[in-house]
Coordinates of all heavy atoms in Angstrom, one line a residue:
M1 N 0.8 -1.2 0.0 CA 0.0 0.0 0.0 C 0.9 1.2 0.0 O 2.1 1.2 0.4 CB -0.9 0.0 1.2 CG -2.0 -1.0 1.2 SD -3.0 -1.0 2.7 CE -4.5 -0.6 2.0
K2 N 0.3 2.4 -0.4 CA 1.0 3.6 -0.4 C 0.4 4.6 0.6 O -0.8 4.7 0.7 CB 1.0 4.2 -1.8 CG 1.8 3.3 -2.8 CD 1.7 3.9 -4.2 CE 2.5 2.9 -5.1 NZ 2.4 3.4 -6.5
I3 N 1.3 5.4 1.2 CA 0.9 6.4 2.1 C 1.7 7.7 1.7 O 2.6 7.7 0.9 CB 1.3 6.1 3.6 CG1 2.8 6.0 3.8 CG2 0.6 4.8 4.0 CD1 3.2 5.9 5.3
T4 N 1.2 8.8 2.2 CA 1.9 10.1 1.9 C 1.8 11.0 3.2 O 0.9 10.9 4.0 CB 1.1 10.8 0.7 OG1 1.9 11.9 0.3 CG2 -0.3 11.3 1.1
P5 N 2.8 11.9 3.3 CA 2.8 12.8 4.4 C 1.6 13.8 4.3 O 1.2 14.2 3.2 CB 4.1 13.6 4.3 CG 4.9 12.9 3.3 CD 4.0 12.1 2.5
M6 N 1.1 14.2 5.4 CA 0.0 15.3 5.4 C 0.7 16.7 5.6 O 0.0 17.7 5.4 CB -0.9 15.1 6.6 CG -1.8 13.8 6.5 SD -3.0 13.7 7.7 CE -2.1 13.4 9.2
R7 N 1.9 16.7 5.9 CA 2.7 18.0 6.0 C 4.1 17.7 5.7 O 4.5 16.6 5.5 CB 2.6 18.5 7.5 CG 3.2 17.5 8.5 CD 3.0 18.0 9.9 NE 1.6 18.3 10.3 CZ 0.7 17.4 10.6 NH1 1.0 16.1 10.6 NH2 -0.5 17.8 11.0
D8 N 4.9 18.8 5.5 CA 6.3 18.6 5.2 C 7.0 17.8 6.4 O 6.7 18.0 7.5 CB 7.1 19.9 5.1 CG 6.6 20.7 3.9 OD1 5.9 20.2 3.1 OD2 7.1 21.9 3.8
I9 N 7.8 16.8 6.0 CA 8.5 16.0 6.9 C 10.0 16.3 6.7 O 10.6 16.0 5.7 CB 8.2 14.5 6.7 CG1 6.7 14.2 6.9 CG2 9.1 13.6 7.7 CD1 6.1 14.4 8.2
R10 N 10.6 16.7 7.8 CA 12.1 17.1 7.8 C 12.8 16.3 8.8 O 12.2 15.7 9.7 CB 12.2 18.6 8.1 CG 11.5 19.5 7.1 CD 11.6 21.0 7.5 NE 10.8 21.8 6.7 CZ 11.2 22.3 5.5 NH1 12.4 22.1 5.1 NH2 10.4 23.1 4.8
N11 N 14.1 16.2 8.6 CA 15.0 15.5 9.6 C 14.8 16.0 11.0 O 14.8 15.1 11.9 CB 16.5 15.6 9.2 CG 16.8 14.8 8.0 OD1 16.4 13.7 7.8 ND2 17.5 15.4 7.0
E12 N 14.5 17.2 11.2 CA 14.3 17.8 12.5 C 13.1 17.1 13.2 O 13.1 16.9 14.4 CB 14.1 19.3 12.5 CG 15.3 20.1 12.1 CD 15.6 20.0 10.6 OE1 14.7 19.8 9.8 OE2 16.8 20.2 10.2
R13 N 12.1 16.8 12.5 CA 10.9 16.1 13.0 C 11.2 14.6 13.3 O 10.9 14.1 14.3 CB 9.7 16.2 12.1 CG 8.4 15.5 12.6 CD 7.3 15.7 11.6 NE 6.9 17.0 11.3 CZ 6.1 17.8 12.0 NH1 5.4 17.2 13.0 NH2 5.8 19.0 11.7
I14 N 11.8 14.0 12.3 CA 12.1 12.6 12.4 C 13.0 12.2 13.6 O 12.8 11.2 14.2 CB 12.8 12.1 11.1 CG1 11.7 12.2 9.9 CG2 13.3 10.6 11.2 CD1 12.3 11.9 8.5
R15 N 14.0 13.1 13.9 CA 14.9 12.8 15.0 C 14.3 12.6 16.3 O 14.8 12.1 17.3 CB 16.1 13.8 15.0 CG 15.7 15.1 15.5 CD 16.9 16.1 15.4 NE 16.5 17.4 15.7 CZ 16.9 18.0 16.8 NH1 17.8 17.4 17.6 NH2 16.5 19.2 17.1
H16 N 13.0 13.1 16.5 CA 12.3 13.0 17.7 C 11.3 11.8 17.7 O 10.6 11.5 18.7 CB 11.5 14.3 18.0 CG 12.3 15.4 18.2 ND1 13.1 15.6 19.3 CD2 12.6 16.5 17.4 CE1 13.8 16.7 19.2 NE2 13.5 17.3 18.0
W17 N 11.2 11.0 16.6 CA 10.3 9.9 16.5 C 10.8 8.7 17.4 O 12.0 8.6 17.7 CB 10.2 9.4 15.1 CG 9.4 10.3 14.2 CD1 8.7 11.5 14.6 CD2 9.1 10.2 12.8 NE1 8.1 12.0 13.5 CE2 8.3 11.3 12.4 CE3 9.5 9.2 11.9 CZ2 7.9 11.4 11.1 CZ3 9.1 9.4 10.6 CH2 8.2 10.5 10.2
T18 N 9.9 7.9 17.7 CA 10.2 6.7 18.5 C 11.3 5.8 17.9 O 12.2 5.4 18.6 CB 8.9 5.8 18.7 OG1 7.9 6.7 19.3 CG2 9.1 4.6 19.6
Y19 N 11.2 5.6 16.6 CA 12.2 4.8 15.9 C 13.2 5.6 15.1 O 13.6 5.1 14.0 CB 11.4 3.7 15.0 CG 10.5 2.9 15.8 CD1 9.1 3.0 15.8 CD2 11.0 1.9 16.7 CE1 8.3 2.2 16.5 CE2 10.2 1.0 17.4 CZ 8.8 1.2 17.3 OH 7.9 0.4 18.0
A20 N 13.5 6.7 15.6 CA 14.4 7.6 14.8 C 15.7 7.0 14.4 O 16.2 7.2 13.3 CB 14.7 8.9 15.6
S21 N 16.3 6.1 15.3 CA 17.5 5.4 14.9 C 17.4 4.5 13.8 O 18.4 4.0 13.2 CB 18.1 4.7 16.2 OG 17.2 3.7 16.5
E22 N 16.2 4.1 13.4 CA 15.9 3.2 12.3 C 15.4 3.9 11.1 O 15.0 3.2 10.1 CB 14.9 2.1 12.7 CG 15.4 1.2 13.9 CD 14.5 0.2 14.3 OE1 14.1 -0.6 13.4 OE2 14.1 0.1 15.4
C23 N 15.5 5.2 11.1 CA 15.1 6.0 9.9 C 16.3 6.5 9.1 O 17.3 7.0 9.7 CB 14.2 7.2 10.4 SG 12.6 6.7 11.1
A24 N 16.2 6.5 7.8 CA 17.2 7.1 7.0 C 17.2 8.6 7.1 O 16.2 9.2 7.4 CB 16.9 6.7 5.5
R25 N 18.3 9.2 6.9 CA 18.4 10.7 6.9 C 18.0 11.2 5.5 O 18.4 10.6 4.5 CB 19.9 11.1 7.2 CG 20.0 12.6 7.2 CD 21.2 12.9 8.1 NE 21.5 14.4 8.1 CZ 20.8 15.3 8.7 NH1 19.8 14.9 9.5 NH2 21.1 16.5 8.6
L26 N 17.1 12.2 5.5 CA 16.6 12.7 4.3 C 17.6 13.8 3.7 O 18.2 14.5 4.5 CB 15.2 13.4 4.5 CG 14.1 12.6 5.1 CD1 12.9 13.4 5.3 CD2 13.8 11.4 4.2
H27 N 17.6 13.9 2.4 CA 18.3 15.0 1.7 C 17.2 15.9 1.4 O 16.5 15.7 0.4 CB 19.1 14.5 0.5 CG 20.1 13.5 0.8 ND1 21.3 13.8 1.5 CD2 20.2 12.1 0.7 CE1 22.0 12.8 1.7 NE2 21.4 11.7 1.2
G28 N 17.1 17.0 2.2 CA 16.0 17.9 2.0 C 14.8 17.5 2.9 O 15.0 17.2 4.0
Y29 N 13.6 17.4 2.3 CA 12.4 17.0 3.0 C 11.4 16.4 2.1 O 11.5 16.5 0.9 CB 11.8 18.2 3.8 CG 11.5 19.4 2.9 CD1 10.2 19.5 2.5 CD2 12.4 20.3 2.5 CE1 9.8 20.6 1.6 CE2 12.0 21.4 1.7 CZ 10.7 21.5 1.3 OH 10.4 22.6 0.5
M30 N 10.4 15.7 2.7 CA 9.3 15.2 2.0 C 8.1 16.1 2.1 O 7.8 16.7 3.1 CB 8.9 13.8 2.6 CG 9.9 12.7 2.3 SD 9.3 11.1 2.9 CE 9.1 11.4 4.6
I31 N 7.3 16.2 1.0 CA 6.1 17.0 0.9 C 4.9 16.2 0.8 O 5.0 15.0 0.3 CB 6.2 18.1 -0.2 CG1 6.4 17.4 -1.6 CG2 7.4 19.0 0.0 CD1 6.3 18.3 -2.7
P32 N 3.7 16.7 1.1 CA 2.5 15.9 0.8 C 2.4 15.5 -0.6 O 2.8 16.3 -1.5 CB 1.4 16.9 1.2 CG 2.0 17.8 2.3 CD 3.5 17.9 1.8
G33 N 2.0 14.3 -0.9 CA 1.9 13.8 -2.2 C 2.9 12.8 -2.6 O 2.8 12.0 -3.5
V34 N 4.1 12.9 -1.9 CA 5.1 11.9 -2.1 C 4.6 10.5 -1.8 O 4.0 10.3 -0.7 CB 6.4 12.2 -1.3 CG1 7.4 11.1 -1.3 CG2 7.0 13.5 -1.7
E35 N 4.8 9.5 -2.7 CA 4.3 8.2 -2.4 C 5.3 7.3 -1.7 O 6.4 7.1 -2.2 CB 3.9 7.5 -3.8 CG 2.7 8.2 -4.4 CD 2.3 7.4 -5.7 OE1 2.9 6.4 -6.0 OE2 1.3 7.9 -6.3
L36 N 5.0 6.9 -0.5 CA 5.8 6.0 0.2 C 5.2 4.6 0.2 O 4.0 4.5 0.5 CB 6.0 6.5 1.7 CG 6.4 8.0 1.8 CD1 6.4 8.4 3.3 CD2 7.8 8.1 1.3
V37 N 5.9 3.6 -0.1 CA 5.4 2.2 -0.2 C 5.6 1.5 1.2 O 6.7 1.4 1.7 CB 6.1 1.5 -1.3 CG1 5.5 0.0 -1.4 CG2 5.8 2.2 -2.6
V38 N 4.6 0.9 1.7 CA 4.6 0.1 2.9 C 5.4 -1.2 2.6 O 5.0 -1.9 1.7 CB 3.2 -0.2 3.4 CG1 3.3 -1.1 4.6 CG2 2.5 1.1 3.8
V39 N 6.4 -1.5 3.3 CA 7.2 -2.7 3.1 C 7.1 -3.7 4.3 O 7.5 -4.8 4.2 CB 8.7 -2.4 2.8 CG1 8.8 -1.7 1.5 CG2 9.4 -1.6 3.9
E40 N 6.7 -3.2 5.5 CA 6.5 -4.0 6.7 C 5.6 -3.3 7.7 O 5.6 -2.1 7.7 CB 7.9 -4.2 7.3 CG 8.0 -5.2 8.4 CD 9.4 -5.4 8.9 OE1 10.4 -4.7 8.4 OE2 9.6 -6.2 9.8
V41 N 4.8 -4.1 8.4 CA 3.9 -3.6 9.4 C 4.1 -4.4 10.7 O 4.0 -5.6 10.6 CB 2.4 -3.7 8.9 CG1 1.5 -3.1 9.9 CG2 2.3 -3.0 7.6
G42 N 4.3 -3.7 11.8 CA 4.3 -4.3 13.1 C 3.0 -4.1 13.8 O 2.6 -3.0 14.0
R43 N 2.4 -5.2 14.2 CA 1.0 -5.1 14.8 C 1.0 -5.6 16.2 O -0.1 -6.0 16.7 CB 0.1 -5.9 13.9 CG -0.2 -5.3 12.5 CD -1.3 -6.0 11.8 NE -1.6 -5.3 10.5 CZ -1.0 -5.6 9.4 NH1 -0.1 -6.6 9.3 NH2 -1.3 -5.0 8.3
I44 N 2.0 -5.5 16.9 CA 2.0 -5.9 18.3 C 1.3 -4.8 19.1 O 1.7 -3.6 19.0 CB 3.4 -6.1 18.9 CG1 4.2 -7.2 18.2 CG2 3.4 -6.3 20.4 CD1 5.6 -7.3 18.5

């Protein structure tokens, strides 16, 4: 499935996320409309 950001997503926001250490560093930022493909889902 595909998801998209609802707002600009920058490294400054990502670094505060729960799984920040498992996130790639962005070159620039993501904007609404960018298609991100779901590759894994944790349902615990």
Side-chain angles (χ1 to χ4, degrees):
M1 292 178 116
K2 294 179 181 178
I3 66 170
T4 191
M6 293 188 292
R7 61 185 51 81
D8 291 352
I9 302 292
R10 301 172 186 273
N11 288 315
E12 292 77 24
R13 178 180 302 271
I14 294 171
R15 71 185 176 112
H16 297 289
W17 286 358
T18 303
Y19 300 107
S21 65
E22 297 182 53
C23 291
R25 182 153 174 80
L26 302 177
H27 297 288
Y29 58 95
M30 290 186 297
I31 60 172
V34 170
E35 293 185 0
L36 307 173
V37 178
V38 175
V39 295
E40 189 177 1
V41 182
R43 292 189 174 91
I44 298 170

